[in-house]
Amino acid sequence: MENREPVPRVLRVAIHARLCSPLEYLPPEGVSADSVLPGTRVRVPVGRREAIGVVIEPAAEATVAISALRAVRELLDPQPLLDPALMRLLEWAAGYYHHPLGEVIAAALPPALRQGGPAQALIERWRVTGDGRAALAAAALARAPRQRSLLLMMSGAAEGIDAEDLGRQVAGWREAARALRARGWIERLERPADESLPQPVTAPAPALPLSEAQQQAVTRIDGSAHEFAAWVLRGATGSGKTEVYLQCALRTLARARSVLLLVPEIGLTPQLVQRCRERLQVPVVVLHSGLSDAERLCAWRACRQGSARVLLGTRSAVFAPLSPLGLIVVDEEHDGSYKQYDGGCRYSARDLALVRARQLSIPVLLGSATPSFETLHNLQAGRYQGLVLPRRDDQAPAPRLALVDLRSHVLHQGLATPVIETMRAHLAANRQVLVFINRRGYAPTLLCTACGWIAPCPACDARLTVHRAEAQLRCHHCGRLEPLPARCRRCGHEVKPVGQGTERVEETVRELFAEHALVRLDRDSAARAGGSEAIVASVLSGAARILVGTQMITKGHHFPGVSLVVVLNADQGLFSTDFRAAERLAQTIVQVAGRAGREHLQGEVLIQTEYPEHPLLQSLLAGGYDGFAAAALAERAAAQWPPFARLAALRASARSADAALKFLAAARQCAPVTGDVRLLGPVAAAMAKRADRYHAQLLIESAERAPLHRLLDQWLPQVDTLARAGRVRYALDVDPIDIQ
Ligand code: ADP
Ligand code: ZN
Ligand code: ZN
C-alpha cells in the first residue's frame, strides 16, 4: 500500500494578537502551500483589517472547511525572515511561557519588521523610462532646465542613479523628479543596500596572558564547543571573567561561528563595547532598549546577514538572528533585568539562552560574582558545571564587611556617627568613598507634623517621593507629578520631608565634607547631559572623591580608588513578603562591596541596620555570599519555594479591588487541579492599587514542571474567557522573579 504524505494545502500563520492559536489561510493564488517556508512573513486579512503574520508551517488539513478559508494576500519575504532554529526557540518560548506565538515573534522582531518592512535595507534609485527617452529625443523641457538636466543625467545610467547621488549633484532635484514622474518619464526603483559592516578601526589589543584559573576555564569551555554545556563562571568583579568571555569568543570566531554576549540593562557600557571591538577585531553590534527603531533594524539585519559576528545586547537580544551561533555568554546572570516582567511574554533571557544553547548544541556561559539561587541549585544538581576565578594577584583582598547598629548611635540626617568618622578617615587618606542607597529622590515621604498628613499618590497605594531639586512630588509607581507643596493640603501647617533618598544623602554628605568633590549616580542624574558616563568618568579619574548612588553603581563599573562602601538602608530587604528579597539584598550588598579596591588596598564595607542580629546579615558576614546562600537555600527547601518547586503567578488587575479578586477566585474554582499542584491565593498584591488599578495574584506551585504546565495548558483558555467576561486584565508569569 502506498503511504504518501498528504499534500499541504493550508498555511498556519501566527499573527501579532492575543490569540491562543495560529490562524489558517490558503496560500496566495498560484503558490503551493508547501513552497512557503516557515518563518516567512505574510500579509493576511483578519476580519475587515489586514495583519502581518509569520508562517509557522504548512498543513495538510484545516480545522475548518477549506472553503471557509481566506487566502494570504502577499508573501513578504523571498527567504524566510526567521530561520528554523530561531522559529524553534520562539515556539519553545511560546509553549513554556504559555503566551501566543504571534506575540512572542512580534516581541523578537524590530518594530519595522513587525510592521512588514523589508528584511533587507533598500536604497532609493531613479531611472528614465522609454517615454522619458523619447521626450529627451524630442528636445522637450526647453523651459524647465532643471528637469531637463535631471532627465539627461539619468539617461546616462541604464541602471538608474541613487537618490543620494542625485541629491549631491542637483539642488532641488526632488521637485523636478516629482514633475518628471507625473509625466511618466522617470520611475522610482529600489536596490538592496550593501550591509557589510565596516571592520573595526580600533587598534587591535593583544590577548592578555591568562592566569591558570582563566586558562583552565577557557580550555574547558572551548572543549565543549560542539555540544550543549552550561558553564557557570564565578568570580568577584575584577577577577577576570570578561577576559575569559573574550578569549572564548575569539576561539568561537576562529571556527567561523558568531557570539552572543548578553549583559544586564545598565551593564552595557561604551567601555565594554570598545573592549570587545579592540580585542575581537570583527564587527561588533549592539542591541538594547535605548536604540532608535532604525538602529535596531540595522543591528538585527546585520545579525541575520552574518555581517555582525558578535552581538552585545540586553534581554531581547537573546532572540537575535545570529547564525551560525557558536557561544552564548550571560554576564551577571543573576541580574533581574534579564526577566521581562511588564507586559508581553514574561520570559527570562537567561533561561532562554540556556534553551537556545541546548537546541543548537553549543556551550552557554553564565558569569557572576553572586549567582542566582536557581543557578546554584543547578550547579549542585550537576546540571551546570562550575568554574571559579580566584581574586587576581593585583586585585584587592576581599573587602571587610561590618554592621553599624543604628539603634546605638547618634544619627546625623540618616548617617550614623561611626560611618561619618570612617568616611573622614578614608577621605583623609586620599581614597574615595561610595555611598549606596537604594532610593532616588530627596525623601520618600512628605509629612505634616501637625496633623500627620502624608502626601499620597491618588492613583496608587503609595506615598509620593519628594524631588527637591525639581520642586516636585513624584510617584515612582505610576509616574504622577505634582508641584511640591510648602504647606499641608489638609490643615495648612508646614510640611517636611521624612526619610532619605539619594538627593538628600548628597546634600548631607556635601555639608559634612564640603572640601571633597561629590557626584551622584541615579536614574535622575544619569538622564542629564553627559549621563552616567560622565559621572563614572569623574570617579575613575579621581576628580570626584565621593559617589552617592543607587543600584546603578552596582552594574558594570569598577572603581579602584574606592576603599570604603557605605550601605545605608539594607533593612528594606530583610522583612519583605517576597521570598526572593533576601537573595536580592545579599546580591546587592556583595555587588556594591565588589566595586571597591585595588592592589593591597583593603576595602571596607559598612552596612547600617537596625537589625544587626538578623540571621541573613549574620550569615552574610560570617560566610560571605556562599554562606548566606547555603542558609537561605535551606530555608527555601524547607518552605518548598523555588528552586525547589516550580512556580507561576496569575496576576490580575481591574478597576475595583473586588473585580480582580473575584476573577482570580473564579479562575481558581475552575482550575483542573491534580494532586501535584497547589494553588495559593488569590491575595491582593502588596501594593494593591497602582495607577488606578487594583492588583491581585494567584500562585500556582508544583514540585515538578510537567504537572504545572499540563494544568496551565488546560486551564488558560477558561481563564481567558473569564477575564473577557469580567473585564479584567490578566497576565501569566511563569517563573516569576518577584512575588508582589
Ligand atoms: P571581571 O569581568 O571579572 O570584572 P575583567 O575581565 O574585566 O574582570 O578584568 C578586570 C581587570 O583585570 C581588567 O582591567 C583586565 O584587563 C584585567 N585582567 C583580567 N585578566 C587579566 C590577565 N590574565 N592578566 C592581566 N590583566 C588581566
Ligand atoms: Zn496637616
Ligand atoms: Zn502613583
Side-chain angles (χ1 to χ4, degrees):
M1 202 179 84
E2 220 180 346
N3 188 7
R4 258 197 280 150
E5 288 271 312
V7 181
R9 292 193 289 168
V10 180
L11 295 174
R12 303 207 313 125
V13 174
I15 66 163
H16 182 191
R18 269 206 92 107
L19 289 171
C20 293
S21 48
L23 302 176
E24 293 165 328
Y25 290 93
L26 298 172
E29 188 89 26
V31 176
S32 77
D34 54 355
S35 71
V36 183
L37 297 174
T40 304
R41 285 174 307 157
V42 290
R43 189 185 304 282
V44 292
V46 181
R48 283 199 220 150
R49 293 179 310 122
E50 265 196 348
I52 306 297
V54 170
V55 174
I56 303 170
E57 58 185 4
E61 290 304 329
T63 50
V64 296
I66 291 267
S67 58
L69 292 185
R70 300 162 82 182
V72 164
R73 295 220 168 115
E74 191 188 354
L75 299 175
L76 294 174
D77 302 309
Q79 305 291 326
L81 183 72
L82 300 162
D83 68 19
L86 207 47
M87 284 299 284
R88 203 147 59 106
L89 178 68
L90 293 164
E91 284 176 45
W92 190 95
Y96 184 82
Y97 294 106
H98 299 269
H99 202 82
L101 179 58
E103 281 204 347
V104 178
I105 293 176
L109 291 177
L113 295 178
R114 203 182 297 158
Q115 288 146 21
Q120 224 206 337
L122 297 172
I123 288 179
E124 179 188 352
R125 170 166 267 236
W126 292 83
R127 186 172 65 182
V128 180
T129 61
D131 285 356
R133 284 185 199 285
L136 264 182
L141 296 172
R143 269 184 293 189
R146 188 176 293 158
Q147 288 181 40
R148 187 172 168 81
S149 68
L150 198 62
L151 204 56
L152 262 172
M153 233 176 97
M154 286 185 196
S155 71
E159 297 297 307
I161 300 182
D162 288 355
E164 207 184 322
D165 293 333
L166 291 171
R168 263 198 296 272
Q169 295 174 38
V170 187
W173 73 275
R174 278 226 179 254
E175 209 180 318
R178 232 188 323 264
L180 290 169
R181 190 190 202 180
R183 295 172 180 231
W185 291 354
I186 61 173
E187 61 188 350
R188 188 177 188 274
L189 308 169
E190 275 167 347
R191 70 172 176 91
D194 168 19
E195 286 180 280
S196 56
L197 295 170
Q199 284 295 313
V201 285
T202 47
L208 300 171
L210 294 179
S211 71
E212 215 176 292
Q214 285 174 320
Q215 186 60 58
Q216 206 184 23
V218 172
T219 310
R220 291 189 63 196
I221 296 162
D222 195 55
S224 70
H226 299 289
E227 64 198 32
F228 169 69
W231 299 97
V232 180
L233 183 62
R234 300 197 53 183
T237 310
S239 59
K241 296 185 296 297
T242 308
E243 195 56 36
V244 171
Y245 307 157
L246 290 171
Q247 302 223 8
C248 289
L250 276 172
R251 295 182 181 213
T252 309
L253 291 169
R255 289 196 192 88
R257 288 182 161 223
S258 311
V259 177
L260 172 59
L261 175 53
L262 294 174
V263 291
E265 205 59 67
I266 24 187
L268 184 50
T269 60
Q271 289 95 312
L272 180 62
V273 181
Q274 175 74 1
R275 194 166 162 195
C276 287
R277 292 205 164 120
E278 282 168 4
R279 292 294 306 284
L280 303 175
Q281 292 292 303
V282 293
V284 173
V285 161
V286 296
L287 195 58
H288 57 85
S289 57
L291 296 183
S292 68
D293 285 357
E295 289 168 321
R296 247 175 230 254
L297 177 63
C298 206
W300 202 90
R301 283 169 170 162
C303 290
R304 178 163 175 270
Q305 291 194 330
S307 53
R309 303 294 313 286
V310 175
L311 177 67
L312 211 55
T314 53
R315 187 170 64 222
S316 70
V318 75
F319 296 116
L322 291 155
S323 176
L325 189 57
L327 172 70
I328 306 178
V329 177
V330 186
D331 188 29
E332 309 286 7
E333 66 86 27
H334 64 277
D335 197 283
S337 70
Y338 286 122
K339 174 82 179 179
Q340 164 78 33
Y341 59 86
D342 49 358
C345 175
R346 287 154 167 82
Y347 64 92
S348 155
R350 191 247 342 258
D351 295 348
L352 286 180
L354 280 140
V355 171
R356 192 167 180 186
R358 184 191 301 277
Q359 290 181 342
L360 296 173
S361 298
I362 59 170
V364 55
L365 173 54
L366 310 178
S368 178
T370 53
S372 66
F373 282 12
E374 271 73 14
T375 294
L376 289 177
H377 183 62
N378 281 321
L379 265 175
Q380 275 161 15
R383 285 188 284 270
Y384 299 173
Q385 304 178 66
L387 299 162
V388 179
L389 295 186
R391 294 185 165 268
R392 290 165 1 88
D393 293 342
D394 60 353
Q395 214 183 341
R400 245 191 336 254
L401 266 59
L403 302 177
V404 176
D405 187 347
L406 284 173
R407 295 163 310 183
S408 55
H409 294 289
V410 176
L411 291 189
H412 178 82
Q413 298 277 12
L415 293 180
T417 324
V419 165
I420 297 174
E421 279 160 13
T422 314
M423 286 176 75
R424 186 158 287 134
H426 281 259
L427 290 167
N430 209 20
R431 309 219 169 115
Q432 290 168 300
V433 174
L434 194 159
V435 182
F436 170 77
I437 174 164
N438 208 358
R439 205 191 272 140
R440 66 199 167 85
Y442 187 80
T445 315
L446 187 68
L447 173 77
C448 168
T449 45
C451 76
W453 176 79
I454 288 174
C457 174
C460 304
D461 286 338
R463 295 159 177 186
L464 294 171
T465 301
V466 180
H467 284 254
R468 203 146 91 170
E470 292 86 0
Q472 275 175 343
L473 286 173
R474 290 189 193 169
C475 177
H476 288 184
H477 306 281
C478 72
R480 186 187 175 86
L481 298 179
E482 290 180 11
L484 184 62
R487 306 205 153 260
C488 173
R489 295 224 183 96
R490 194 155 67 192
C491 75
H493 194 270
E494 260 174 47
V495 284
K496 72 167 197 186
V498 177
Q500 314 288 322
T502 44
E503 245 186 74
R504 189 174 212 171
V505 172
E506 174 186 356
E507 181 186 271
T508 306
V509 176
R510 256 189 219 289
E511 278 166 16
L512 286 167
F513 301 101
E515 67 280 25
H516 297 288
L518 178 153
V519 285
R520 191 184 95 214
L521 181 57
D522 56 25
R523 198 137 42 96
D524 302 316
S525 69
R528 284 194 216 118
S532 59
E533 282 311 310
I535 298 168
V536 168
S538 71
V539 179
L540 289 176
S541 74
R545 312 299 307 164
I546 305 170
L547 172 63
V548 174
T550 58
Q551 222 116 348
M552 282 189 88
I553 59 180
T554 68
K555 306 280 165 78
H557 308 297
H558 179 233
F559 303 111
V562 169
S563 59
L564 172 66
V565 173
V566 178
V567 178
L568 284 189
N569 61 343
D571 292 348
Q572 274 186 332
L574 293 177
F575 302 100
S576 170
T577 49
D578 185 346
F579 70 92
R580 270 183 229 268
E583 175 184 350
R584 275 197 295 266
L585 174 62
Q587 285 165 347
T588 304
I589 292 178
V590 174
Q591 292 284 343
V592 178
R595 302 300 120 187
R598 71 155 84 87
E599 207 174 349
H600 311 311
L601 189 62
Q602 168 87 60
E604 219 179 324
V605 180
L606 296 180
I607 304 166
Q608 292 197 155
T609 175
E610 283 186 50
Y611 309 93
E613 65 292 331
H614 195 285
L616 189 164
L617 292 175
Q618 286 302 327
S619 66
L620 188 61
L621 249 62
Y625 186 73
D626 286 323
F628 155 79
L633 270 166
E635 270 180 31
R636 294 246 196 118
Q640 280 297 293
W641 282 119
F644 300 94
R646 306 293 162 192
L647 201 63
L650 183 65
R651 303 212 166 100
S653 76
R655 288 267 168 217
S656 77
D658 213 35
L661 284 167
K662 258 200 194 133
F663 156 70
L664 290 177
R668 183 181 173 137
Q669 278 293 314
C670 69
V673 180
T674 56
D676 313 317
V677 182
R678 278 199 299 160
L679 296 183
L680 309 167
V683 291
M687 184 186 295
K689 188 177 161 205
R690 253 176 295 146
D692 273 327
R693 295 185 70 84
Y694 292 83
H695 298 253
Q697 72 180 7
L698 175 64
L699 294 180
I700 309 109
E701 189 221 56
S702 162
E704 302 294 330
R705 257 189 227 288
L708 176 75
H709 286 274
R710 257 199 313 275
L711 176 134
L712 292 175
D713 276 332
Q714 293 174 20
W715 184 38
L716 287 173
Q718 282 167 280
V719 170
D720 197 59
T721 310
L722 280 173
R724 282 171 201 271
R727 292 165 182 248
V728 172
R729 281 189 213 152
Y730 76 98
L732 180 75
D733 190 349
V734 176
D735 304 331
I737 62 162
D738 50 10
I739 303 301
Q740 290 160 352

